[in-house]
Amino acid sequence: MEKAMENKSPGRPRSADAHRAVLDAALALAVRDGYAAVTMKAIAEEAGVGRQTVYRWWPTRGAVLIEAMGEIGAAHGAPPASGDPVADLRVFLDQTFALADKAPVADVLLGLLSDAFADTELSTTMRAYIAGRRALLAEVLGRQGAGGWKVPVPTVVDLVFGAMWYRLMNQHGPVGPELTKEVLVVVAALRD
């Protein structure tokens, strides 16, 4: 994520106000028009900056939006340990699923995932973003103890996030509190 934030060329330093405006504009456009309609030109116009300003700092709309998603994800970390690891997991899943189902997060995540297939740099950044979310879930699962799992914890993480991503992609079921309840049953069954 840090790499996306570095200046790509020498010149004037990044304005914090312009930086914020670009990230906010990209998200606003994704909410209003959908990920597919977001362009670098539209981001620049919405942010009130020149197109060159946007291109100086980010090579693509995906790079702008993955940075914005990184900020959103960073604001939704693991809950503090409460002493009840199952309750901690419920809180984490409720927050994660509610966030993933909220506009523009689902649309942006799916758009980024699609763009990442054709953009190696975005793919690397997207994998880092996902790895961060996986690490948070593994941390929360680890509160139930390192041993006693019928499968490795990374597989539990795959099952949990796999259910979320599959529902987001196919839109055949809700991503929210009901999914949390269902996933908690599966996770409990994976404990010895």
Side-chain angles (χ1 to χ4, degrees):
M1 211 70 62
E2 312 264 353
K3 185 176 179 183
M5 295 177 65
E6 293 174 6
N7 282 337
K8 298 292 182 187
S9 61
R12 290 183 296 166
R14 179 183 299 202
S15 157
D17 290 341
H19 177 248
R20 177 82 268 137
V22 169
L23 294 177
D24 292 345
L27 289 172
L29 288 167
V31 168
R32 189 184 74 208
D33 303 331
Y35 180 89
V38 176
T39 64
M40 296 295 267
K41 178 182 178 186
I43 292 170
E45 289 172 358
E46 184 82 11
V49 301
R51 217 181 314 176
Q52 281 307 108
T53 298
V54 179
Y55 277 111
R56 185 178 310 120
W57 299 330
W58 298 278
T60 64
R61 70 175 173 184
V64 177
L65 284 162
I66 192 68
E67 185 175 327
M69 293 305 299
E71 287 184 355
I72 292 170
H76 294 84
S82 69
D84 181 346
V86 175
D88 293 349
L89 180 58
R90 181 178 297 109
V91 168
F92 180 77
L93 294 178
D94 278 343
Q95 289 174 350
T96 298
F97 294 161
L99 179 64
D101 199 36
K102 183 174 132 183
V105 174
D107 187 42
V108 170
L109 284 175
L110 294 173
L112 287 168
L113 186 60
S114 176
D115 282 357
F117 285 105
D119 181 336
T120 310
E121 189 173 328
L122 179 59
S123 178
T124 300
T125 307
M126 185 75 175
R127 280 196 305 275
Y129 172 80
I130 291 171
R133 298 304 299 173
R134 289 177 56 79
L136 288 172
L137 177 54
E139 173 195 327
V140 175
L141 288 167
R143 295 176 189 175
Q144 295 185 36
W149 291 100
K150 294 178 182 175
V151 298
V153 170
T155 302
V156 179
V157 171
D158 287 343
L159 293 169
V160 171
F161 281 141
M164 179 193 80
W165 279 97
Y166 194 71
R167 285 191 178 188
L168 288 175
M169 287 188 292
N170 293 297
Q171 300 177 353
H172 65 278
V175 175
E178 192 59 37
L179 182 57
T180 297
K181 290 178 195 170
E182 295 164 1
V183 164
L184 287 173
V185 170
V186 172
V187 170
L190 297 174
R191 296 286 297 164
D192 282 332

